[in-house]
Amino acid sequence: MAEAAPHHPALPSGLLELCALLGAPRDSLRGPEQVAQRKGVKGPSSLDPEVLSVFVPPFVMKEDSQPAAVNCMTLAKNRKRSFRKKRERPRVELGKGVPGGPRGPDPEDVNIPNGVDLLALPQLCFPGGLCVASEPREDCVHFLVLTDVCGNRTYGVVAQYYRPLHDEYCFYNGKTRWEALGPGGGAAGCFVPFAVCVVSRFPYYNALKDCLSCLLTHLKFCKDFEVDNHIKDFAAKLSLIPSPPPGPLHLIFNMKPLQIVFPSRADPESPLIDLDLHLPLLCFRPEKVLQILTCLLTEQRIVFFSSSWALLTLVAECFMAYLHPLQWQHTFVPILSGQMLDFLMAPTSFLMGCHLDHFEEVSKEADGLILINIDNGNITYSNDEEVDVPDIPLLAAQTFIQRVQSLQLHHELELAHLCTSTDVNEGRASRRAWQQRLNCQIQQMTLQLLVSIFREVKNHLNYEHRVFNSEEFLKTRALGDQQFYKQVLDTYMFHAFLKARLSRRMDAFAQMDLHTQSEEDRINGMLLSPRRPTIEKMASRKSSTPHAAHRRMVVSMPDLQDITVPELPPRNSSLRKIQTTECGSSGAVLDMPPKSTHTFKIPEIHFPLVAQCVQAFYADCVAQLSKAIGSLTPENSVLLARYFYLRGLVRLMQGQLLGALLDFQSLYKTDVCVFPADLVQMTVESLSAPERTQAERTPELLRLISEVMDRPADAPKADDRVKNFELPKKHMQLDDFVKRVQESGIVKDTSVIHRLFEALTVGHQKQIDPETFKDFYNCWKEAEAEAQEVSLPLSVMEQLDKNECVYKLSRSVKTNRGVGKIAMTQKRLFLLMEGRPGYAEISTFRNIEDVRSTMATFLLLRIPTLKIKTASKKEVFEANLKTECDLWHLMVKEMWAGRKLADDHKDPQYVQQALTHILLMDAVVGTLQSPGAIYAASKLSYFDRMKNEMPMAVPKTTSETLKHKINPSAGETAPRAIDVLLYTPGHLDPAEKVEDAHPKLWCALNEGKVIVFDASSWTIHQHCFRVGTSKLNCMVMAEQSQVWVGSEDSVIYIINVHSMSCNKQLTDHRASVTGLAVQDGLQAPSTVYSCSADGTVLAWNASSLQVTGRFQVRGGGLSAIRLHSGRLWCCTGDSILVVNMNGYPCQELKINGRFKETGTSFRGFQLMPEQEQLWAACAGYPDVYVWSLQDLAQPPQRIHLEDCSEINCMIKVKKQIWVGATGLSQGQLKGKIYVMDAERRTVEKELLAHADTVKTLCSAEDRYVLSGAGREEGKIAIWKVE
């Protein structure tokens, strides 16, 4: 590499970290003892290998072009650490390299990368020893994983080859001398092994193996003194190749005769996969693969054995990939040489690999090891001890085995019907494409396995306090699976997994969990009430009773391979694809085809490698990347971003810092997920004063510089520890009690916990002792366990809806309809008859007219009796509930009140909250067990009390117009204000799944949080994700695939509606982005206009994301913009300014002396083109003002809104204006909506919308209007448009 100016930043290294030539010392080969040994001994002789030459980048210096090649003996001072603790320090002898090799710089100038131990490297490159052979042997390759003291890994690929031993090496008739002399070889009949080792920061196993294969074709036929030059040129090529950024762009390099492909990782969170992931499936049966995965998940001490050094690393790395996104946290050394076997005595968990020759020795000497023989597929234990390795959960195991057996693992079967390819690179490309598809299937299959094992962990997490209730999680596991989970829950790997879950990381696990989530789980995500098994689950449980019995019989078996899986399809050994519908959806590999990939061919590198040639190579790279960028349309933003990244990197290597920064600025706007912030910051810091001045004169670069340089310094790392739930040991005041209940997972809602606190402290000091909390917790959990065990006859289940759950079951009681148990679901009460099991409906909560608790007289006894009167039956239901009567009276009344509120407000959350209340009542009564327990439980009778104390009927107009309410804050500790709403219609797009093509509702909450609802079912489509950390002000849809979000932090965030990811940010504004407007032209692309509080208006090309226009509106305070008749209408606080598309003022409407509300500002405005009207509202006033667009100078018509205190927002819907406001209702401030007729300029409807102010409104295709409430309520209401 050409040396840059002194102020240039340290560049990221290419693919190569180090290249080394290893072999026997030349002196040992030439000594008389060795010569005698060679002539007198027929067998191979063993020598001590050493590093002969080391090549590290950069290979081009400023002064000359000498390579950085040095003899290993001079590098002793550069060693980091040795695998061998007692090894002596080598002698320092300068200049003892390969004879004729070029002399390099002073070894003190050579920087050996961390993690590369040059003293241990020879053992790893010749793990079986260096043996002189009597005849040439085949070249071979194996792979290394090197770890430094900080745990950072580098990867090595080693190619061994043999050369004849000669004093002079020459050619005869085009053949080497040893070839001409026949199989006996050279004069002495000796062939000496050499090894070339390439070390990289990236695990390019296949690519570097191919590279070394190309190198060996040159090394085997060159003279001794030419070896170093060939290796130096090879290493220099690799050092110039940049590593591809995460994404779909792979790099291709011509190494002659092969085209080498360097794949990229799929995304920044994914591992780089450049190996054949099906290798373990060829070596082991699926049951054995599961056993090995269990050993890894339980962090055992594992040793792989094979007669192939290459397979040791490849198979171990495959299993590491199978675990993703879980990560092995312990020692990982897949190859141990014979001198390193003492590593296996380590007491901690590890994964290591040894040659099969050492199997017996290791098996006898070490204790507690899992010994895995790759060659025969067996798993045994050292010293014939039984290691406590549990079975993987059975249902997950069976599904995994089915999926493995559906895979096509043999490429030859794919080729059977094809002609033989006559182009080696074409054949390799076909094989690579097949392998990529298979790798994708295997990754999806193993990820599905992990999701099925750990999916329900999230149900026992408390995100606010970072607590995992492991005890309750274990109780929900099948008895035969508990040992597995007990061991896994104690591992470092699982602890890291919990940290990621509690941080809500959207990694591969979370994405697969979301993708495979059932509709029931999706709906449950919106429910506040505790979960109970639905009727559908009960029915499925009953139908699988024989299978459950089978499960109980086999879960205790010690070895998973002994399990006979019922009705598994045979391995797919033909070209016919197994029909996944026949083997059930659970057994089919999830049909997620690999994402399409693209390639960029790196230009040829010309030698000699002097500075001019390197610069020419960089210039070729920039030219080809620029050509590729120019050929792409802006829609290909993912690919464009990768080209910008590579061109910026190459320009940095050229020393063109400003050009590189421009590329990184384009990258930042195109895909921020691969933006190299640290590298850009170093580049900015390296700019000279003139360069910095020039950069700051460019608006795009000025913002980029401020973005990276003004980044907050690394804040103290937040406490990300995971706490296990423990019962309290001391008395609790209210705040501590709230925290403890939330940690327990019983209830999250703070207001509900406050009522619970009141209930548990009635008549006592306002604190709760540990014993009371423990009793309450146990009562709650016992009720949960009883609910899980409820079993209804099939005849009863047929009478209920599939999503109903039994929340409470009474004791057996006498009723006027027979003897039985009263059951309560979220919808109804029914009698579970005894004797002949049967079903008798008591009433749905909607049909109840009255509920009373009375005393029935039987002989001389007075028995507490519950009476329920329903609208559909004349006969009153009576049940002699005895001691349970008062509690059931409270519970039924609360559910009745909750059902009425839910119907009145069209909000099912009331029913869910009522269920929480009645279950808490039950637990409180069970906890206190005192005469005052019922009175205490009545403190939780919130809705019944609300109905009695504040009988507030929903106005008829409101009830008729309101269709539904949803709660984006469900599951949170408190409601959150709805800042912005956006409805986007559904589009059938090839990039989307059918369910993703549904219309969506985008809801912006506080601190940059966005929740997406499926607007066809009003269920959550995408749980909360963040776009920045500031308040969001506005949202629009552009190009049918983008949602633009304007933020208080001055950034416009662009969300891809297909991937639900936010990888693009526009940072051209300098103040809060307050408004967005889209101009859809007849031809794409659309133009998006954005405005900010400082008065800046920008026009954007929605496809290229380039600024196409910019102007400043005088006065500042810009709060909204609208498009009308080719002009922009800008609300600037005290005026509404009309400008043309270039920013020149055309008209202005000011709040002046004639307009009596001086001292105020415009709160918002709407244009009604058909009526030629401008509607506006002012801050702090309950009036709407209407101007004629024909003459804005005329005074407006003022329309007063009754019982309104302030207007917050307004939208146009058909020929109506909907106004969101804060108004009075029965003396209290509520959220109101006024529906106004634009033609008659009158209020048509006054809707009582929310318990808090109406903050935002949006229209859904002019059929519905959606309103968002403030933080006191935090709900979204859906209104029908007349």
Side-chain angles (χ1 to χ4, degrees):
M1 253 184 245
E3 184 178 296
H7 62 275
H8 284 175
L11 297 175
S13 61
L15 297 178
L16 179 86
E17 290 282 289
L18 172 146
C19 186
L21 175 67
L22 303 96
R26 180 65 64 172
D27 289 347
S28 65
L29 293 175
R30 289 182 171 176
E33 301 87 4
Q34 294 295 329
V35 173
Q37 186 181 21
R38 286 202 311 273
K39 291 184 177 180
V41 180
K42 292 183 180 180
S45 56
S46 181
L47 303 171
D48 288 329
E50 66 177 32
V51 180
L52 301 177
S53 297
V54 177
F55 301 88
V56 294
F59 291 96
V60 178
M61 304 299 175
K62 186 175 182 181
E63 301 300 329
D64 56 61
S65 57
Q66 290 298 317
V70 294
N71 178 267
C72 73
M73 289 299 175
T74 66
L75 290 169
K77 64 184 73 179
N78 289 303
R79 75 179 184 218
K80 305 301 177 187
R81 63 185 176 87
S82 173
F83 284 111
R84 297 293 302 277
K85 297 179 180 177
K86 297 182 179 180
R87 181 152 185 172
E88 295 180 1
R89 184 187 180 96
R91 237 171 359 106
V92 177
E93 296 182 16
L94 295 175
K96 291 276 186 173
V98 176
R103 293 184 59 84
D106 190 311
E108 292 184 9
D109 297 333
V110 177
N111 181 29
I112 303 301
N114 289 332
V116 181
D117 183 353
L118 289 179
L119 295 182
L121 194 61
Q123 296 179 42
L124 294 172
C125 291
F126 294 96
L130 190 156
C131 298
V132 177
S134 58
E135 58 184 28
R137 295 184 180 177
E138 280 191 314
D139 305 335
C140 59
V141 176
H142 67 274
F143 309 94
L144 308 175
V145 179
L146 311 172
T147 309
D148 66 15
V149 291
C150 299
N152 301 309
R153 290 177 184 169
T154 49
Y155 305 88
V157 181
V158 182
Q160 289 186 17
Y161 67 101
Y162 283 78
R163 288 171 60 90
L165 183 64
H166 290 295
D167 289 337
E168 296 294 334
Y169 190 63
C170 55
F171 289 82
Y172 291 93
N173 297 325
K175 292 185 179 181
T176 56
R177 183 178 174 187
W178 59 271
E179 285 178 317
L181 293 175
C190 288
F191 294 86
V192 182
F194 290 87
V196 180
C197 176
V198 174
V199 177
S200 174
R201 290 184 297 123
F202 309 99
Y204 280 119
Y205 294 121
N206 285 338
L208 292 177
K209 171 185 173 181
D210 292 344
C211 289
L212 285 169
S213 301
C214 296
L215 173 66
L216 294 191
T217 61
H218 300 289
L219 294 186
K220 291 166 67 175
F221 301 109
C222 69
K223 300 177 182 179
D224 280 354
F225 64 85
E226 295 175 331
V227 169
D228 268 12
N229 285 331
H230 279 294
I231 297 177
K232 181 258 295 183
D233 290 348
F234 168 81
K237 284 183 180 180
L238 290 182
S239 71
L240 292 178
I241 300 174
S243 59
L249 185 64
H250 300 179
L251 301 183
I252 292 184
F253 185 69
N254 187 7
M255 192 60 83
K256 293 181 183 177
L258 299 180
Q259 299 278 351
I260 311 297
V261 175
F262 294 97
S264 60
R265 64 185 74 216
D267 57 71
E269 299 292 327
S270 298
L272 196 158
I273 302 295
D274 187 34
L275 72 168
D276 302 343
L277 289 183
H278 68 295
L279 287 177
L281 304 180
L282 297 176
C283 299
F284 303 99
R285 289 189 297 152
E287 298 83 359
K288 296 289 188 181
V289 171
L290 287 171
Q291 272 191 287
I292 297 169
L293 285 172
T294 305
C295 293
L296 291 167
L297 289 170
T298 54
E299 295 184 350
Q300 304 291 331
R301 298 161 68 222
I302 304 166
V303 189
F304 282 103
F305 291 89
S306 176
S307 57
S308 165
W309 293 106
L311 278 180
L312 288 173
T313 301
L314 294 178
V315 170
E317 282 281 37
C318 285
F319 279 104
M320 294 296 102
Y322 292 174
L323 289 177
H324 177 74
L326 278 70
Q327 292 183 328
W328 179 257
Q329 306 278 321
H330 299 278
T331 303
F332 180 61
V333 186
I335 285 186
L336 292 176
S337 66
Q339 295 89 349
M340 297 177 177
L341 293 183
D342 54 349
F343 278 28
L344 298 174
M345 306 305 291
T348 57
S349 302
F350 56 72
L351 192 158
M352 300 189 190
C354 295
H355 197 276
L356 194 59
D357 292 345
H358 303 298
F359 185 90
E360 294 299 327
E361 178 185 355
V362 171
S363 178
K364 292 177 182 177
E365 296 296 327
D367 296 327
L369 301 184
I370 309 290
L371 310 179
I372 302 172
N373 189 329
I374 295 173
D375 292 3
N376 63 19
N378 284 338
I379 302 173
T380 55
Y381 309 107
S382 59
N383 277 331
D384 294 325
E385 294 180 351
E386 192 70 24
V387 180
D388 184 19
V389 180
D391 292 336
I392 214 159
L394 182 74
L395 294 180
Q398 289 179 338
T399 305
F400 177 82
I401 293 169
Q402 281 185 312
R403 287 171 176 158
V404 170
Q405 293 183 328
S406 72
L407 292 175
Q408 173 59 270
L409 298 178
H410 301 283
H411 187 225
E412 293 78 4
L413 296 175
E414 292 278 332
L415 299 178
H417 67 291
L418 298 176
C419 294
T420 303
S421 174
T422 57
D423 185 323
V424 63
N425 285 314
E426 180 183 314
R428 282 163 45 84
S430 170
R431 173 65 167 77
R432 195 162 48 245
W434 174 84
Q435 188 66 57
Q436 183 185 359
R437 290 193 299 272
L438 181 59
N439 281 359
C440 181
Q441 286 181 302
I442 293 171
Q443 286 177 287
Q444 296 297 325
M445 182 182 68
T446 54
L447 185 56
Q448 285 176 282
L449 173 69
L450 294 175
V451 169
S452 64
I453 293 172
F454 298 118
R455 184 195 293 277
E456 293 182 28
V457 165
K458 65 178 181 290
N459 297 338
H460 301 270
L461 296 176
N462 175 262
Y463 296 92
E464 290 76 21
H465 305 292
R466 300 187 67 82
V467 172
F468 173 56
N469 197 331
S470 58
E471 183 179 339
E472 292 302 323
F473 172 71
L474 285 173
K475 286 180 182 177
T476 64
R477 303 301 90 198
L479 191 62
D481 297 339
Q482 288 195 3
Q483 187 57 36
F484 169 84
Y485 283 106
K486 283 178 182 176
Q487 290 194 31
V488 171
L489 263 55
D490 286 335
T491 62
Y492 288 99
M493 190 187 307
F494 182 75
H495 188 73
F497 170 78
L498 280 182
K499 285 185 177 182
R501 297 315 105 215
L502 287 168
S503 300
R504 298 185 187 272
R505 185 179 302 162
M506 190 51 68
D507 56 11
F509 182 94
Q511 291 173 12
M512 178 63 78
D513 185 18
L514 189 65
H515 187 84
T516 57
Q517 196 176 44
S518 67
E519 188 63 25
E520 180 185 350
D521 290 335
R522 197 181 293 271
I523 293 172
N524 282 341
M526 301 177 61
L527 301 183
L528 295 170
S529 60
R531 297 179 181 180
R532 297 290 188 266
T534 62
I535 297 302
E536 186 177 32
K537 280 193 175 178
M538 283 190 197
S540 65
R541 210 159 53 188
K542 278 188 174 293
S543 65
S544 60
T545 302
H547 176 72
H550 169 76
R551 175 185 177 130
R552 285 194 292 272
M553 286 188 290
V554 300
V555 286
S556 60
M557 292 184 177
D559 293 317
L560 193 61
Q561 66 268 23
D562 296 333
I563 297 174
T564 55
V565 183
E567 299 180 9
L568 293 183
R571 179 181 289 280
N572 188 11
S573 56
S574 72
L575 287 174
R576 292 183 60 197
K577 306 292 184 187
I578 285 187
Q579 298 299 318
T580 56
T581 53
E582 292 177 8
C583 60
S585 59
S586 63
V589 180
L590 190 63
D591 186 18
M592 293 181 67
K595 297 176 182 177
S596 60
T597 57
H598 305 265
T599 57
F600 173 73
K601 188 170 182 179
I602 297 172
E604 294 285 336
I605 299 174
H606 302 287
F607 289 92
L609 200 65
V610 294
Q612 293 84 348
C613 292
V614 172
Q615 288 298 326
F617 166 72
Y618 291 150
D620 289 345
C621 283
V622 169
Q624 292 195 26
L625 287 167
S626 300
K627 183 179 178 182
I629 290 170
S631 66
L632 288 175
T633 60
E635 287 75 19
N636 291 320
S637 59
V638 173
L639 200 53
L640 269 175
R642 274 68 196 170
Y643 285 133
F644 283 133
Y645 179 98
L646 288 173
R647 193 171 70 177
L649 212 58
V650 174
R651 281 178 166 167
L652 274 186
M653 295 173 178
Q654 284 181 299
Q656 298 179 7
L657 302 193
L658 294 181
L661 288 177
L662 283 170
D663 278 330
F664 290 135
Q665 165 64 12
S666 299
L667 168 63
Y668 189 79
K669 291 200 300 187
T670 311
D671 193 345
V672 73
C673 77
V674 292
F675 178 72
D678 292 334
L679 178 61
V680 174
Q681 183 175 350
M682 286 192 297
T683 304
V684 172
E685 290 170 348
S686 302
L687 293 173
S688 64
E691 287 175 325
R692 182 70 176 261
T693 303
Q694 185 180 350
E696 291 177 349
R697 286 178 187 155
T698 309
E700 295 86 354
L701 290 186
L702 179 62
R703 183 54 192 259
L704 180 70
I705 290 171
S706 64
E707 192 73 29
V708 296
M709 300 307 291
D710 297 342
R711 285 191 303 166
D714 292 337
K717 189 176 180 182
D719 184 8
D720 64 348
R721 290 176 299 171
V722 179
K723 294 176 283 186
N724 200 19
F725 175 72
E726 295 179 351
L727 291 169
K729 296 181 175 61
K730 59 182 182 180
H731 286 66
M732 290 157 283
Q733 304 293 333
L734 176 59
D735 290 345
D736 196 22
F737 179 72
V738 169
K739 178 184 174 185
R740 292 289 188 168
V741 173
Q742 289 173 344
E743 286 181 355
S744 71
I746 294 174
V747 189
K748 284 188 177 181
D749 191 308
T750 305
S751 60
V752 174
I753 302 174
H754 284 191
R755 293 194 281 274
L756 176 62
F757 183 80
E758 288 296 319
L760 289 173
T761 57
V762 166
H764 298 84
Q765 188 178 358
K766 293 301 178 184
Q767 64 176 13
I768 292 177
D769 61 87
E771 281 302 314
T772 300
F773 189 96
K774 180 180 177 181
D775 291 344
F776 168 75
Y777 180 81
N778 289 337
C779 284
W780 179 272
K781 292 302 177 183
E782 285 167 9
E784 265 189 354
E786 288 172 6
Q788 296 294 331
E789 296 302 319
V790 169
S791 179
L792 301 178
L794 287 173
S795 60
V796 173
M797 287 191 285
E798 289 171 357
Q799 306 294 322
L800 303 174
D801 296 343
K802 67 177 184 179
N803 63 340
E804 280 188 81
C805 308
V806 176
Y807 285 90
K808 179 67 178 171
L809 202 61
S810 74
R811 298 193 185 109
S812 184
V813 296
K814 181 182 178 182
T815 75
N816 59 348
R817 297 185 192 172
V819 177
K821 295 179 179 179
I822 299 175
M824 177 189 289
T825 73
Q826 67 267 46
K827 187 176 180 179
R828 75 188 83 217
L829 295 168
F830 67 89
L831 187 66
L832 192 59
M833 309 286 285
E834 293 191 347
R836 286 186 61 190
Y839 167 91
E841 180 161 313
I842 300 170
S843 177
T844 61
F845 293 112
R846 182 176 281 126
N847 286 336
I848 291 178
E849 287 188 343
D850 192 23
V851 180
R852 291 186 183 181
S853 176
T854 62
M855 303 295 287
T857 303
F858 179 73
L859 298 178
L860 299 176
L861 300 175
R862 291 173 60 81
I863 303 172
T865 301
L866 182 69
K867 293 185 176 182
I868 301 174
K869 183 180 179 182
T870 63
S872 58
K873 297 176 183 176
K874 291 183 179 180
E875 183 186 13
V876 175
F877 173 79
E878 296 183 14
N880 298 335
L881 280 161
K882 301 179 182 178
T883 57
E884 290 186 282
C885 186
D886 289 337
L887 175 59
W888 272 88
H889 181 231
L890 276 180
M891 292 194 300
V892 173
K893 285 202 302 180
E894 181 69 4
M895 287 299 297
W896 178 27
R899 179 72 264 173
K900 187 174 188 323
L901 286 168
D903 289 344
D904 289 348
H905 295 273
K906 312 290 176 68
D907 185 357
Q909 291 287 338
Y910 282 108
V911 172
Q912 303 301 327
Q913 198 164 343
L915 284 167
T916 301
H917 292 161
I918 64 113
L919 292 172
L920 289 173
M921 290 178 196
D922 187 31
V924 166
V925 171
T927 301
L928 299 180
Q929 294 184 349
S930 65
I934 295 299
Y935 174 72
S938 69
K939 296 292 184 182
L940 289 156
S941 189
Y942 181 67
F943 293 146
D944 183 50
R945 190 164 60 251
M946 181 190 297
K947 186 181 76 170
N948 295 328
E949 294 176 1
M950 297 179 294
M952 186 179 64
V954 176
K956 182 180 179 182
T957 305
T958 300
S959 181
E960 290 174 349
T961 311
L962 180 63
K963 302 305 292 181
H964 191 58
K965 275 193 177 180
I966 53 179
N967 185 7
S969 301
E972 301 289 341
T973 57
R976 303 179 184 208
I978 313 295
D979 290 327
V980 193
L981 291 173
L982 173 68
Y983 172 87
T984 56
H987 294 283
L988 284 174
D989 189 288
E992 290 189 303
K993 302 182 291 295
V994 174
E995 59 269 26
D996 288 343
H998 291 165
K1000 300 180 182 71
L1001 175 65
W1002 305 73
C1003 173
L1005 304 177
N1006 59 334
E1007 298 176 344
K1009 295 174 182 172
V1010 176
I1011 290 181
V1012 185
F1013 289 88
D1014 182 331
S1016 63
S1017 62
W1018 303 117
T1019 57
I1020 289 181
H1021 177 82
Q1022 174 77 43
H1023 281 275
C1024 192
F1025 64 95
R1026 281 184 180 270
V1027 286
T1029 56
S1030 302
K1031 179 178 178 289
L1032 304 178
N1033 296 324
C1034 48
M1035 291 194 287
V1036 296
M1037 186 179 194
E1039 300 284 290
Q1040 297 186 357
S1041 62
Q1042 302 173 359
V1043 169
W1044 291 43
V1045 185
S1047 172
E1048 199 75 23
D1049 62 9
S1050 78
V1051 177
I1052 298 173
Y1053 298 92
I1054 300 179
I1055 302 171
N1056 184 306
V1057 300
H1058 303 315
S1059 63
M1060 287 294 164
S1061 59
C1062 178
N1063 294 333
K1064 300 177 184 178
Q1065 298 179 15
L1066 308 179
T1067 58
D1068 293 63
H1069 282 288
R1070 299 292 181 272
S1072 171
V1073 179
T1074 54
L1076 293 164
V1078 181
Q1079 183 180 40
D1080 291 316
L1082 296 177
Q1083 296 180 343
S1086 305
T1087 300
V1088 180
Y1089 292 90
S1090 62
C1091 67
S1092 53
D1094 60 358
T1096 302
V1097 177
L1098 300 178
W1100 303 86
N1101 181 305
S1103 294
S1104 66
L1105 306 183
Q1106 298 297 317
V1107 175
T1108 58
R1110 178 194 302 264
F1111 60 86
Q1112 195 79 17
V1113 174
R1114 65 176 183 268
L1118 196 51
S1119 60
I1121 54 173
R1122 301 276 186 272
L1123 276 165
H1124 172 55
S1125 300
R1127 293 181 179 179
L1128 280 173
W1129 295 63
C1130 308
C1131 184
T1132 63
D1134 64 349
S1135 69
I1136 295 176
L1137 186 65
V1138 185
V1139 300
N1140 65 17
M1141 294 310 183
N1142 295 319
Y1144 293 109
C1146 302
Q1147 283 180 286
E1148 185 174 14
L1149 174 64
K1150 287 187 70 69
I1151 297 178
N1152 52 33
R1154 291 180 299 166
F1155 188 41
K1156 74 172 191 177
E1157 282 81 8
T1158 54
T1160 184
S1161 59
F1162 286 113
R1163 192 61 179 265
F1165 73 99
Q1166 283 292 333
L1167 295 163
M1168 299 291 288
E1170 297 86 357
Q1171 289 76 29
E1172 295 190 340
Q1173 295 171 354
L1174 168 65
W1175 292 59
C1178 293
Y1181 289 89
D1183 304 303
V1184 176
Y1185 303 90
V1186 185
W1187 280 268
S1188 169
L1189 292 180
Q1190 294 178 349
D1191 188 1
L1192 294 178
Q1194 292 296 318
Q1197 178 181 346
R1198 179 172 173 267
I1199 306 170
H1200 181 70
L1201 304 181
E1202 294 294 332
D1203 296 326
C1204 174
S1205 59
E1206 186 175 23
I1207 295 172
N1208 302 312
C1209 52
M1210 60 172 60
I1211 61 167
K1212 167 187 172 292
V1213 184
K1214 295 183 178 177
K1215 294 182 180 181
Q1216 297 173 337
I1217 291 288
W1218 287 54
V1219 179
T1222 305
L1224 286 172
S1225 176
Q1226 298 185 354
Q1228 293 184 328
L1229 286 176
K1230 300 288 184 181
K1232 283 191 168 186
I1233 294 175
Y1234 297 86
V1235 182
M1236 309 183 70
D1237 186 291
E1239 292 180 344
R1240 294 196 294 266
R1241 305 187 187 188
T1242 57
V1243 176
E1244 286 189 335
K1245 293 181 183 179
E1246 182 180 325
L1247 306 175
L1248 186 59
H1250 297 281
D1252 196 359
T1253 184
V1254 177
K1255 291 202 67 179
T1256 181
L1257 294 167
C1258 83
S1259 170
E1261 301 176 3
D1262 281 352
R1263 295 170 56 215
Y1264 298 98
V1265 167
L1266 301 105
S1267 60
R1271 60 179 300 179
E1272 292 300 317
E1273 182 187 287
K1275 293 182 180 179
I1276 298 169
I1278 301 148
W1279 307 88
K1280 183 179 180 181
V1281 176
E1282 297 295 340

